[in-house]
Amino acid sequence: MQAIHVAAGILRDASGRVLITERLGDSPFAGLWEFPGGKISPGETPMSALARELYEELGIAIGACEHFMSVDHDYADRSVVIEFYLVTGWQSAPTGLEGQAIRWIDPEMLKSDELLPADIPVLKALLASTDSIRKC
């Protein structure tokens, strides 16, 4: 089974909402929502991959961030290890540069069946730690 290492960002605004992006029509799980990010290239650190991916996908330069959690998830055709970072500072307004829809949503309003399966544990962790996250 193919193993993929990914870095993803959890952008949180001042009101506690998080940014999610819709998967494009030609990708697996098209139409589901996810935390933005992508594959870590050979020789890249997770942080440098996160910075590159968020710049390419959203047009932002990340500032303050910290590791939030790691998720291992097996799909039918591949295994993914995702390093999730809580991003609390960035420059520019996020925009869907690859044609993907983006939206800001309160984690409490996000439904698990809307999310990419590997992102569901992150939603649960966000909901369990909402008070401490909003204090960052």
Side-chain angles (χ1 to χ4, degrees):
M1 182 180 307
Q2 182 183 12
I4 301 170
H5 200 187
V6 173
I10 306 163
L11 279 73
R12 184 180 51 86
D13 70 7
S15 64
R17 298 178 307 167
V18 295
L19 182 91
I20 55 174
T21 59
E22 189 173 22
R23 290 186 62 90
L24 297 174
D26 60 347
S27 65
F29 301 100
L32 291 180
W33 294 84
E34 65 183 345
F35 295 102
K39 293 178 189 173
I40 300 170
S41 297
E44 266 188 320
T45 65
M47 282 295 306
S48 61
L50 178 67
R52 177 184 51 77
E53 287 286 345
L54 295 184
Y55 182 77
E56 290 173 358
E57 291 182 18
L58 301 174
I60 64 170
I62 60 173
C65 68
E66 63 184 70
H67 190 264
F68 183 68
M69 68 185 293
S70 297
V71 172
D72 296 348
H73 187 83
D74 292 329
Y75 290 101
D77 60 340
R78 66 193 176 283
S79 175
V80 294
V81 176
I82 308 173
E83 304 296 336
F84 286 93
Y85 290 85
L86 183 62
V87 181
T88 55
W90 60 89
Q91 295 175 355
S92 301
T95 306
L97 295 179
E98 298 176 341
Q100 76 278 31
I102 66 170
R103 69 179 179 169
W104 291 96
I105 188 167
D106 186 316
E108 294 175 0
M109 303 302 294
L110 189 54
K111 297 177 182 147
S112 292
D113 62 356
E114 293 180 292
L115 278 178
L116 192 64
D119 288 6
I120 294 171
V122 176
L123 174 60
K124 291 178 181 178
L126 283 170
L127 292 174
S129 61
T130 298
D131 290 336
S132 62
I133 289 173
R134 289 191 178 161
K135 292 177 187 172
C136 290

